[in-house]
Amino acid sequence: MKFLITAGPTREPLDPVRYLSNRSSGKMGYAIAAAALEEKHHVVLISGPVAITHPSGAEMVRVTTGDEMFEAASQQLGECDVLVMCAAVCDYKPAHYSPVKSKKTREPFALELVPARDILASLTSAEHDCFVVGFAAETHDLETNAARKLGEKNCDLLVANDVSRPEIGMDSDENELVIFFKDGTRETIPRGKKIAVARRLLKIILDVRENCLTKKS
Ligand code: CTP
């Protein structure tokens, strides 16, 4: 089976030396890629800038901005069976890019931002045959937000993690996930090393996908 996995942050440049980004380390997406490779699946890993080693055997596509991630994912989507959209994509980007380094002044400085494309929602709004797994990074109202994102982004599964807890989630080696299914049920993968959590998540993804295909035929 062919997996398309996105991981890590995106960066939106302000000028040649500054950018907007977030704390995503890429560890969860890379762990899902490693778990899929262990099971002999083909993995295309579209990665934002991260400081970790890529899983051996993955077909790597390295990107920086959200637009680059969208272009790469759109090109690959038609060839893939499962999309796992784990990347922490910037929701806004600077309205203007300065080709030269902006100089400081003594005055207050306001940055004008414009909404960036929602990659997952854009990909799923076009026709495709992929089984789609979205993620939700939440600090509060996890259940409400995750259930909403599952529907709004047309996902088959939505994987939520509580990024307010420092021991799990962003940049940590461990995670705990709550998976939301389209029938309104949910399942928790308890706290563990990201690779162990990824192996359990992979099994759930493949089971649910199999179930969907059986129902369709
Ligand atoms: N996502 C995306 N493009 C964006 C923002 C998010 O493709 N511009 C994807 C993420 O990869 C993830 C899902 O949408 O699979 C949810 O991302 P998240 O950051 O949790 O939610 P947002 O939609 O950005 O909403 P908010 O920041 O308000 O929680």
Side-chain angles (χ1 to χ4, degrees):
M1 204 173 294
K2 192 164 177 183
F3 279 74
L4 176 59
I5 301 173
T6 68
T10 56
R11 280 182 190 169
E12 300 299 341
L14 288 155
D15 70 18
V17 298
R18 304 183 180 94
Y19 56 80
L20 293 175
S21 194
N22 60 65
R23 289 179 41 224
S24 170
S25 64
K27 288 177 186 170
M28 193 65 229
Y30 277 46
I32 298 167
L37 287 162
E38 282 173 4
E39 297 297 321
K40 309 283 182 244
H41 296 292
H42 186 106
V43 173
V44 179
L45 180 53
I46 302 178
S47 177
V50 296
I52 55 177
T53 312
H54 72 265
S56 153
E59 185 182 330
M60 293 300 298
V61 183
R62 296 184 192 281
V63 298
T64 304
T65 65
D67 285 341
E68 289 169 8
M69 186 170 278
F70 173 72
E71 287 305 323
S74 322
Q75 276 176 26
Q76 299 281 347
L77 192 69
E79 309 283 307
C80 291
D81 304 297
V82 180
L83 166 68
V84 182
M85 191 72 208
C86 194
V89 183
C90 290
D91 288 327
Y92 292 91
K93 58 184 181 183
H96 309 286
Y97 172 76
S98 166
V100 293
K101 186 184 170 205
S102 305
K103 302 308 285 180
K104 69 171 178 279
T105 68
R106 292 188 167 277
E107 299 306 313
F109 177 75
L111 205 52
E112 188 187 350
L113 303 178
V114 293
R117 181 201 302 271
D118 188 313
I119 299 175
L120 179 56
S122 303
L123 292 174
T124 57
S125 65
E127 203 163 310
H128 68 88
D129 290 325
C130 245
F131 184 85
V132 176
V133 180
F135 268 71
E138 305 296 343
T139 56
H140 59 284
D141 300 333
L142 181 139
E143 298 196 357
T144 318
N145 288 325
R148 178 177 52 77
K149 288 176 188 175
L150 174 69
E152 281 181 4
K153 299 188 188 230
N154 296 307
C155 300
D156 295 295
L157 281 188
L158 198 288
V159 181
N161 59 334
D162 182 346
V163 289
S164 70
R165 291 166 56 190
E167 75 279 15
I168 57 168
M170 277 185 163
D171 209 19
S172 152
D173 288 328
E174 298 196 343
N175 210 350
E176 179 181 303
L177 304 176
V178 188
I179 300 157
F180 291 78
F181 302 95
K182 282 212 288 203
D183 65 2
T185 59
R186 70 193 64 159
E187 180 172 339
T188 299
I189 301 181
R191 182 176 165 186
K193 291 275 178 225
K194 281 185 172 170
I195 184 63
V197 170
R199 288 183 186 123
R200 288 193 59 176
L201 174 61
L202 182 75
K203 188 172 178 327
I204 293 169
I205 292 171
L206 294 175
D207 285 351
V208 176
R209 180 177 178 275
E210 184 61 37
N211 228 335
C212 291
L213 292 179
T214 314
K215 275 187 195 150
K216 275 185 196 161
S217 60

mmCIF file with all atom_site columns, all heavy atoms in Angstrom, residues 59-82:
data_model
loop_
_atom_site.group_PDB
_atom_site.id
_atom_site.type_symbol
_atom_site.label_atom_id
_atom_site.label_alt_id
_atom_site.label_comp_id
_atom_site.label_asym_id
_atom_site.label_entity_id
_atom_site.label_seq_id
_atom_site.pdbx_PDB_ins_code
_atom_site.Cartn_x
_atom_site.Cartn_y
_atom_site.Cartn_z
_atom_site.occupancy
_atom_site.B_iso_or_equiv
_atom_site.pdbx_formal_charge
_atom_site.auth_seq_id
_atom_site.auth_comp_id
_atom_site.auth_asym_id
_atom_site.auth_atom_id
_atom_site.pdbx_PDB_model_num
ATOM 1   N N   . GLU A 1 59 ? 10.455 7.678  0.773   1.00 0.00 ? 59 GLU A N   1
ATOM 2   C CA  . GLU A 1 59 ? 10.710 8.586  -0.355  1.00 0.00 ? 59 GLU A CA  1
ATOM 3   C C   . GLU A 1 59 ? 10.485 9.997  0.191   1.00 0.00 ? 59 GLU A C   1
ATOM 4   O O   . GLU A 1 59 ? 9.357  10.359 0.516   1.00 0.00 ? 59 GLU A O   1
ATOM 5   C CB  . GLU A 1 59 ? 9.700  8.245  -1.465  1.00 0.00 ? 59 GLU A CB  1
ATOM 6   C CG  . GLU A 1 59 ? 9.900  8.997  -2.740  1.00 0.00 ? 59 GLU A CG  1
ATOM 7   C CD  . GLU A 1 59 ? 8.807  8.623  -3.768  1.00 0.00 ? 59 GLU A CD  1
ATOM 8   O OE1 . GLU A 1 59 ? 8.284  7.490  -3.772  1.00 0.00 ? 59 GLU A OE1 1
ATOM 9   O OE2 . GLU A 1 59 ? 8.465  9.516  -4.554  1.00 0.00 ? 59 GLU A OE2 1
ATOM 10  N N   . MET A 1 60 ? 11.577 10.759 0.332   1.00 0.00 ? 60 MET A N   1
ATOM 11  C CA  . MET A 1 60 ? 11.480 12.061 1.017   1.00 0.00 ? 60 MET A CA  1
ATOM 12  C C   . MET A 1 60 ? 11.200 13.202 0.042   1.00 0.00 ? 60 MET A C   1
ATOM 13  O O   . MET A 1 60 ? 11.811 13.291 -1.015  1.00 0.00 ? 60 MET A O   1
ATOM 14  C CB  . MET A 1 60 ? 12.791 12.384 1.733   1.00 0.00 ? 60 MET A CB  1
ATOM 15  C CG  . MET A 1 60 ? 13.118 11.488 2.903   1.00 0.00 ? 60 MET A CG  1
ATOM 16  S SD  . MET A 1 60 ? 11.878 11.524 4.201   1.00 0.00 ? 60 MET A SD  1
ATOM 17  C CE  . MET A 1 60 ? 11.918 13.232 4.747   1.00 0.00 ? 60 MET A CE  1
ATOM 18  N N   . VAL A 1 61 ? 10.281 14.066 0.436   1.00 0.00 ? 61 VAL A N   1
ATOM 19  C CA  . VAL A 1 61 ? 10.059 15.322 -0.288  1.00 0.00 ? 61 VAL A CA  1
ATOM 20  C C   . VAL A 1 61 ? 10.177 16.420 0.761   1.00 0.00 ? 61 VAL A C   1
ATOM 21  O O   . VAL A 1 61 ? 9.376  16.496 1.683   1.00 0.00 ? 61 VAL A O   1
ATOM 22  C CB  . VAL A 1 61 ? 8.663  15.368 -0.943  1.00 0.00 ? 61 VAL A CB  1
ATOM 23  C CG1 . VAL A 1 61 ? 8.501  16.660 -1.745  1.00 0.00 ? 61 VAL A CG1 1
ATOM 24  C CG2 . VAL A 1 61 ? 8.416  14.155 -1.827  1.00 0.00 ? 61 VAL A CG2 1
ATOM 25  N N   . ARG A 1 62 ? 11.205 17.246 0.636   1.00 0.00 ? 62 ARG A N   1
ATOM 26  C CA  . ARG A 1 62 ? 11.425 18.287 1.651   1.00 0.00 ? 62 ARG A CA  1
ATOM 27  C C   . ARG A 1 62 ? 10.857 19.618 1.161   1.00 0.00 ? 62 ARG A C   1
ATOM 28  O O   . ARG A 1 62 ? 11.113 20.031 0.036   1.00 0.00 ? 62 ARG A O   1
ATOM 29  C CB  . ARG A 1 62 ? 12.918 18.420 1.953   1.00 0.00 ? 62 ARG A CB  1
ATOM 30  C CG  . ARG A 1 62 ? 13.469 17.152 2.581   1.00 0.00 ? 62 ARG A CG  1
ATOM 31  C CD  . ARG A 1 62 ? 14.930 17.293 2.986   1.00 0.00 ? 62 ARG A CD  1
ATOM 32  N NE  . ARG A 1 62 ? 15.490 15.991 3.303   1.00 0.00 ? 62 ARG A NE  1
ATOM 33  C CZ  . ARG A 1 62 ? 15.310 15.358 4.445   1.00 0.00 ? 62 ARG A CZ  1
ATOM 34  N NH1 . ARG A 1 62 ? 14.589 15.918 5.402   1.00 0.00 ? 62 ARG A NH1 1
ATOM 35  N NH2 . ARG A 1 62 ? 15.835 14.167 4.653   1.00 0.00 ? 62 ARG A NH2 1
ATOM 36  N N   . VAL A 1 63 ? 10.085 20.234 2.041   1.00 0.00 ? 63 VAL A N   1
ATOM 37  C CA  . VAL A 1 63 ? 9.451  21.505 1.685   1.00 0.00 ? 63 VAL A CA  1
ATOM 38  C C   . VAL A 1 63 ? 9.664  22.494 2.826   1.00 0.00 ? 63 VAL A C   1
ATOM 39  O O   . VAL A 1 63 ? 10.070 22.110 3.932   1.00 0.00 ? 63 VAL A O   1
ATOM 40  C CB  . VAL A 1 63 ? 7.936  21.325 1.429   1.00 0.00 ? 63 VAL A CB  1
ATOM 41  C CG1 . VAL A 1 63 ? 7.674  20.399 0.258   1.00 0.00 ? 63 VAL A CG1 1
ATOM 42  C CG2 . VAL A 1 63 ? 7.212  20.807 2.673   1.00 0.00 ? 63 VAL A CG2 1
ATOM 43  N N   . THR A 1 64 ? 9.371  23.756 2.549   1.00 0.00 ? 64 THR A N   1
ATOM 44  C CA  . THR A 1 64 ? 9.485  24.779 3.590   1.00 0.00 ? 64 THR A CA  1
ATOM 45  C C   . THR A 1 64 ? 8.129  25.430 3.854   1.00 0.00 ? 64 THR A C   1
ATOM 46  O O   . THR A 1 64 ? 7.642  25.415 4.982   1.00 0.00 ? 64 THR A O   1
ATOM 47  C CB  . THR A 1 64 ? 10.535 25.845 3.179   1.00 0.00 ? 64 THR A CB  1
ATOM 48  O OG1 . THR A 1 64 ? 11.776 25.180 2.921   1.00 0.00 ? 64 THR A OG1 1
ATOM 49  C CG2 . THR A 1 64 ? 10.735 26.860 4.299   1.00 0.00 ? 64 THR A CG2 1
ATOM 50  N N   . THR A 1 65 ? 7.512  25.980 2.844   1.00 0.00 ? 65 THR A N   1
ATOM 51  C CA  . THR A 1 65 ? 6.264  26.734 3.056   1.00 0.00 ? 65 THR A CA  1
ATOM 52  C C   . THR A 1 65 ? 5.030  25.835 2.894   1.00 0.00 ? 65 THR A C   1
ATOM 53  O O   . THR A 1 65 ? 5.108  24.729 2.343   1.00 0.00 ? 65 THR A O   1
ATOM 54  C CB  . THR A 1 65 ? 6.160  27.882 2.024   1.00 0.00 ? 65 THR A CB  1
ATOM 55  O OG1 . THR A 1 65 ? 6.056  27.288 0.724   1.00 0.00 ? 65 THR A OG1 1
ATOM 56  C CG2 . THR A 1 65 ? 7.355  28.806 2.074   1.00 0.00 ? 65 THR A CG2 1
ATOM 57  N N   . GLY A 1 66 ? 3.904  26.372 3.335   1.00 0.00 ? 66 GLY A N   1
ATOM 58  C CA  . GLY A 1 66 ? 2.637  25.668 3.153   1.00 0.00 ? 66 GLY A CA  1
ATOM 59  C C   . GLY A 1 66 ? 2.307  25.477 1.679   1.00 0.00 ? 66 GLY A C   1
ATOM 60  O O   . GLY A 1 66 ? 1.794  24.426 1.288   1.00 0.00 ? 66 GLY A O   1
ATOM 61  N N   . ASP A 1 67 ? 2.596  26.490 0.858   1.00 0.00 ? 67 ASP A N   1
ATOM 62  C CA  . ASP A 1 67 ? 2.311  26.352 -0.577  1.00 0.00 ? 67 ASP A CA  1
ATOM 63  C C   . ASP A 1 67 ? 3.130  25.213 -1.181  1.00 0.00 ? 67 ASP A C   1
ATOM 64  O O   . ASP A 1 67 ? 2.629  24.444 -2.005  1.00 0.00 ? 67 ASP A O   1
ATOM 65  C CB  . ASP A 1 67 ? 2.602  27.665 -1.321  1.00 0.00 ? 67 ASP A CB  1
ATOM 66  C CG  . ASP A 1 67 ? 1.518  28.705 -1.064  1.00 0.00 ? 67 ASP A CG  1
ATOM 67  O OD1 . ASP A 1 67 ? 0.410  28.320 -0.635  1.00 0.00 ? 67 ASP A OD1 1
ATOM 68  O OD2 . ASP A 1 67 ? 1.784  29.909 -1.257  1.00 0.00 ? 67 ASP A OD2 1
ATOM 69  N N   . GLU A 1 68 ? 4.394  25.108 -0.752  1.00 0.00 ? 68 GLU A N   1
ATOM 70  C CA  . GLU A 1 68 ? 5.228  24.008 -1.261  1.00 0.00 ? 68 GLU A CA  1
ATOM 71  C C   . GLU A 1 68 ? 4.672  22.653 -0.803  1.00 0.00 ? 68 GLU A C   1
ATOM 72  O O   . GLU A 1 68 ? 4.651  21.688 -1.568  1.00 0.00 ? 68 GLU A O   1
ATOM 73  C CB  . GLU A 1 68 ? 6.675  24.167 -0.783  1.00 0.00 ? 68 GLU A CB  1
ATOM 74  C CG  . GLU A 1 68 ? 7.409  25.316 -1.444  1.00 0.00 ? 68 GLU A CG  1
ATOM 75  C CD  . GLU A 1 68 ? 8.746  25.637 -0.773  1.00 0.00 ? 68 GLU A CD  1
ATOM 76  O OE1 . GLU A 1 68 ? 9.187  24.882 0.121   1.00 0.00 ? 68 GLU A OE1 1
ATOM 77  O OE2 . GLU A 1 68 ? 9.341  26.661 -1.147  1.00 0.00 ? 68 GLU A OE2 1
ATOM 78  N N   . MET A 1 69 ? 4.215  22.602 0.450   1.00 0.00 ? 69 MET A N   1
ATOM 79  C CA  . MET A 1 69 ? 3.650  21.334 0.959   1.00 0.00 ? 69 MET A CA  1
ATOM 80  C C   . MET A 1 69 ? 2.390  20.975 0.172   1.00 0.00 ? 69 MET A C   1
ATOM 81  O O   . MET A 1 69 ? 2.187  19.816 -0.194  1.00 0.00 ? 69 MET A O   1
ATOM 82  C CB  . MET A 1 69 ? 3.368  21.440 2.456   1.00 0.00 ? 69 MET A CB  1
ATOM 83  C CG  . MET A 1 69 ? 2.922  20.122 3.063   1.00 0.00 ? 69 MET A CG  1
ATOM 84  S SD  . MET A 1 69 ? 2.852  20.162 4.866   1.00 0.00 ? 69 MET A SD  1
ATOM 85  C CE  . MET A 1 69 ? 4.555  19.870 5.307   1.00 0.00 ? 69 MET A CE  1
ATOM 86  N N   . PHE A 1 70 ? 1.559  21.972 -0.096  1.00 0.00 ? 70 PHE A N   1
ATOM 87  C CA  . PHE A 1 70 ? 0.329  21.708 -0.860  1.00 0.00 ? 70 PHE A CA  1
ATOM 88  C C   . PHE A 1 70 ? 0.673  21.189 -2.256  1.00 0.00 ? 70 PHE A C   1
ATOM 89  O O   . PHE A 1 70 ? 0.088  20.212 -2.725  1.00 0.00 ? 70 PHE A O   1
ATOM 90  C CB  . PHE A 1 70 ? -0.524 22.982 -0.958  1.00 0.00 ? 70 PHE A CB  1
ATOM 91  C CG  . PHE A 1 70 ? -1.691 22.802 -1.869  1.00 0.00 ? 70 PHE A CG  1
ATOM 92  C CD1 . PHE A 1 70 ? -2.766 22.007 -1.489  1.00 0.00 ? 70 PHE A CD1 1
ATOM 93  C CD2 . PHE A 1 70 ? -1.722 23.402 -3.120  1.00 0.00 ? 70 PHE A CD2 1
ATOM 94  C CE1 . PHE A 1 70 ? -3.848 21.808 -2.347  1.00 0.00 ? 70 PHE A CE1 1
ATOM 95  C CE2 . PHE A 1 70 ? -2.799 23.211 -3.976  1.00 0.00 ? 70 PHE A CE2 1
ATOM 96  C CZ  . PHE A 1 70 ? -3.860 22.414 -3.585  1.00 0.00 ? 70 PHE A CZ  1
ATOM 97  N N   . GLU A 1 71 ? 1.625  21.860 -2.942  1.00 0.00 ? 71 GLU A N   1
ATOM 98  C CA  . GLU A 1 71 ? 2.000  21.429 -4.305  1.00 0.00 ? 71 GLU A CA  1
ATOM 99  C C   . GLU A 1 71 ? 2.490  19.986 -4.288  1.00 0.00 ? 71 GLU A C   1
ATOM 100 O O   . GLU A 1 71 ? 2.078  19.172 -5.115  1.00 0.00 ? 71 GLU A O   1
ATOM 101 C CB  . GLU A 1 71 ? 3.108  22.335 -4.867  1.00 0.00 ? 71 GLU A CB  1
ATOM 102 C CG  . GLU A 1 71 ? 2.641  23.736 -5.251  1.00 0.00 ? 71 GLU A CG  1
ATOM 103 C CD  . GLU A 1 71 ? 1.471  23.717 -6.231  1.00 0.00 ? 71 GLU A CD  1
ATOM 104 O OE1 . GLU A 1 71 ? 1.460  22.841 -7.112  1.00 0.00 ? 71 GLU A OE1 1
ATOM 105 O OE2 . GLU A 1 71 ? 0.567  24.559 -6.082  1.00 0.00 ? 71 GLU A OE2 1
ATOM 106 N N   . ALA A 1 72 ? 3.359  19.673 -3.332  1.00 0.00 ? 72 ALA A N   1
ATOM 107 C CA  . ALA A 1 72 ? 3.929  18.322 -3.263  1.00 0.00 ? 72 ALA A CA  1
ATOM 108 C C   . ALA A 1 72 ? 2.831  17.302 -2.970  1.00 0.00 ? 72 ALA A C   1
ATOM 109 O O   . ALA A 1 72 ? 2.767  16.237 -3.600  1.00 0.00 ? 72 ALA A O   1
ATOM 110 C CB  . ALA A 1 72 ? 5.011  18.270 -2.184  1.00 0.00 ? 72 ALA A CB  1
ATOM 111 N N   . ALA A 1 73 ? 1.945  17.615 -2.028  1.00 0.00 ? 73 ALA A N   1
ATOM 112 C CA  . ALA A 1 73 ? 0.886  16.666 -1.658  1.00 0.00 ? 73 ALA A CA  1
ATOM 113 C C   . ALA A 1 73 ? -0.098 16.476 -2.815  1.00 0.00 ? 73 ALA A C   1
ATOM 114 O O   . ALA A 1 73 ? -0.531 15.354 -3.086  1.00 0.00 ? 73 ALA A O   1
ATOM 115 C CB  . ALA A 1 73 ? 0.164  17.149 -0.405  1.00 0.00 ? 73 ALA A CB  1
ATOM 116 N N   . SER A 1 74 ? -0.448 17.565 -3.515  1.00 0.00 ? 74 SER A N   1
ATOM 117 C CA  . SER A 1 74 ? -1.385 17.434 -4.646  1.00 0.00 ? 74 SER A CA  1
ATOM 118 C C   . SER A 1 74 ? -0.806 16.535 -5.719  1.00 0.00 ? 74 SER A C   1
ATOM 119 O O   . SER A 1 74 ? -1.525 15.760 -6.334  1.00 0.00 ? 74 SER A O   1
ATOM 120 C CB  . SER A 1 74 ? -1.699 18.758 -5.323  1.00 0.00 ? 74 SER A CB  1
ATOM 121 O OG  . SER A 1 74 ? -1.803 19.767 -4.455  1.00 0.00 ? 74 SER A OG  1
ATOM 122 N N   . GLN A 1 75 ? 0.500  16.683 -5.955  1.00 0.00 ? 75 GLN A N   1
ATOM 123 C CA  . GLN A 1 75 ? 1.129  15.863 -7.001  1.00 0.00 ? 75 GLN A CA  1
ATOM 124 C C   . GLN A 1 75 ? 1.090  14.378 -6.650  1.00 0.00 ? 75 GLN A C   1
ATOM 125 O O   . GLN A 1 75 ? 0.992  13.527 -7.513  1.00 0.00 ? 75 GLN A O   1
ATOM 126 C CB  . GLN A 1 75 ? 2.583  16.277 -7.184  1.00 0.00 ? 75 GLN A CB  1
ATOM 127 C CG  . GLN A 1 75 ? 2.739  17.460 -8.118  1.00 0.00 ? 75 GLN A CG  1
ATOM 128 C CD  . GLN A 1 75 ? 4.183  17.922 -8.208  1.00 0.00 ? 75 GLN A CD  1
ATOM 129 O OE1 . GLN A 1 75 ? 5.112  17.149 -7.990  1.00 0.00 ? 75 GLN A OE1 1
ATOM 130 N NE2 . GLN A 1 75 ? 4.365  19.189 -8.503  1.00 0.00 ? 75 GLN A NE2 1
ATOM 131 N N   . GLN A 1 76 ? 1.207  14.069 -5.345  1.00 0.00 ? 76 GLN A N   1
ATOM 132 C CA  . GLN A 1 76 ? 1.322  12.672 -4.918  1.00 0.00 ? 76 GLN A CA  1
ATOM 133 C C   . GLN A 1 76 ? -0.016 12.008 -4.621  1.00 0.00 ? 76 GLN A C   1
ATOM 134 O O   . GLN A 1 76 ? -0.121 10.779 -4.650  1.00 0.00 ? 76 GLN A O   1
ATOM 135 C CB  . GLN A 1 76 ? 2.175  12.595 -3.624  1.00 0.00 ? 76 GLN A CB  1
ATOM 136 C CG  . GLN A 1 76 ? 3.596  13.104 -3.781  1.00 0.00 ? 76 GLN A CG  1
ATOM 137 C CD  . GLN A 1 76 ? 4.504  12.075 -4.447  1.00 0.00 ? 76 GLN A CD  1
ATOM 138 O OE1 . GLN A 1 76 ? 4.133  10.903 -4.573  1.00 0.00 ? 76 GLN A OE1 1
ATOM 139 N NE2 . GLN A 1 76 ? 5.672  12.501 -4.876  1.00 0.00 ? 76 GLN A NE2 1
ATOM 140 N N   . LEU A 1 77 ? -1.026 12.796 -4.306  1.00 0.00 ? 77 LEU A N   1
ATOM 141 C CA  . LEU A 1 77 ? -2.276 12.245 -3.754  1.00 0.00 ? 77 LEU A CA  1
ATOM 142 C C   . LEU A 1 77 ? -2.907 11.160 -4.633  1.00 0.00 ? 77 LEU A C   1
ATOM 143 O O   . LEU A 1 77 ? -3.329 10.121 -4.126  1.00 0.00 ? 77 LEU A O   1
ATOM 144 C CB  . LEU A 1 77 ? -3.289 13.378 -3.516  1.00 0.00 ? 77 LEU A CB  1
ATOM 145 C CG  . LEU A 1 77 ? -4.514 12.994 -2.693  1.00 0.00 ? 77 LEU A CG  1
ATOM 146 C CD1 . LEU A 1 77 ? -4.132 12.725 -1.240  1.00 0.00 ? 77 LEU A CD1 1
ATOM 147 C CD2 . LEU A 1 77 ? -5.572 14.100 -2.752  1.00 0.00 ? 77 LEU A CD2 1
ATOM 148 N N   . GLY A 1 78 ? -2.921 11.409 -5.942  1.00 0.00 ? 78 GLY A N   1
ATOM 149 C CA  . GLY A 1 78 ? -3.573 10.467 -6.872  1.00 0.00 ? 78 GLY A CA  1
ATOM 150 C C   . GLY A 1 78 ? -2.928 9.095  -6.873  1.00 0.00 ? 78 GLY A C   1
ATOM 151 O O   . GLY A 1 78 ? -3.560 8.110  -7.240  1.00 0.00 ? 78 GLY A O   1
ATOM 152 N N   . GLU A 1 79 ? -1.660 9.029  -6.456  1.00 0.00 ? 79 GLU A N   1
ATOM 153 C CA  . GLU A 1 79 ? -0.913 7.765  -6.493  1.00 0.00 ? 79 GLU A CA  1
ATOM 154 C C   . GLU A 1 79 ? -1.032 7.000  -5.185  1.00 0.00 ? 79 GLU A C   1
ATOM 155 O O   . GLU A 1 79 ? -0.507 5.900  -5.063  1.00 0.00 ? 79 GLU A O   1
ATOM 156 C CB  . GLU A 1 79 ? 0.591  8.054  -6.680  1.00 0.00 ? 79 GLU A CB  1
ATOM 157 C CG  . GLU A 1 79 ? 0.931  8.973  -7.825  1.00 0.00 ? 79 GLU A CG  1
ATOM 158 C CD  . GLU A 1 79 ? 0.845  8.234  -9.126  1.00 0.00 ? 79 GLU A CD  1
ATOM 159 O OE1 . GLU A 1 79 ? 1.475  7.180  -9.241  1.00 0.00 ? 79 GLU A OE1 1
ATOM 160 O OE2 . GLU A 1 79 ? 0.084  8.707  -10.011 1.00 0.00 ? 79 GLU A OE2 1
ATOM 161 N N   . CYS A 1 80 ? -1.650 7.624  -4.177  1.00 0.00 ? 80 CYS A N   1
ATOM 162 C CA  . CYS A 1 80 ? -1.570 7.051  -2.819  1.00 0.00 ? 80 CYS A CA  1
ATOM 163 C C   . CYS A 1 80 ? -2.885 6.452  -2.346  1.00 0.00 ? 80 CYS A C   1
ATOM 164 O O   . CYS A 1 80 ? -3.955 6.837  -2.789  1.00 0.00 ? 80 CYS A O   1
ATOM 165 C CB  . CYS A 1 80 ? -1.112 8.128  -1.840  1.00 0.00 ? 80 CYS A CB  1
ATOM 166 S SG  . CYS A 1 80 ? 0.589  8.571  -2.160  1.00 0.00 ? 80 CYS A SG  1
ATOM 167 N N   . ASP A 1 81 ? -2.763 5.496  -1.418  1.00 0.00 ? 81 ASP A N   1
ATOM 168 C CA  . ASP A 1 81 ? -3.944 4.834  -0.847  1.00 0.00 ? 81 ASP A CA  1
ATOM 169 C C   . ASP A 1 81 ? -4.374 5.494  0.455   1.00 0.00 ? 81 ASP A C   1
ATOM 170 O O   . ASP A 1 81 ? -5.548 5.483  0.804   1.00 0.00 ? 81 ASP A O   1
ATOM 171 C CB  . ASP A 1 81 ? -3.621 3.356  -0.575  1.00 0.00 ? 81 ASP A CB  1
ATOM 172 C CG  . ASP A 1 81 ? -3.149 2.655  -1.833  1.00 0.00 ? 81 ASP A CG  1
ATOM 173 O OD1 . ASP A 1 81 ? -3.951 2.570  -2.773  1.00 0.00 ? 81 ASP A OD1 1
ATOM 174 O OD2 . ASP A 1 81 ? -1.977 2.233  -1.881  1.00 0.00 ? 81 ASP A OD2 1
ATOM 175 N N   . VAL A 1 82 ? -3.396 6.009  1.196   1.00 0.00 ? 82 VAL A N   1
ATOM 176 C CA  . VAL A 1 82 ? -3.701 6.607  2.504   1.00 0.00 ? 82 VAL A CA  1
ATOM 177 C C   . VAL A 1 82 ? -2.943 7.924  2.644   1.00 0.00 ? 82 VAL A C   1
ATOM 178 O O   . VAL A 1 82 ? -1.739 7.973  2.390   1.00 0.00 ? 82 VAL A O   1
ATOM 179 C CB  . VAL A 1 82 ? -3.269 5.659  3.667   1.00 0.00 ? 82 VAL A CB  1
ATOM 180 C CG1 . VAL A 1 82 ? -3.588 6.293  5.022   1.00 0.00 ? 82 VAL A CG1 1
ATOM 181 C CG2 . VAL A 1 82 ? -3.936 4.299  3.551   1.00 0.00 ? 82 VAL A CG2 1
#
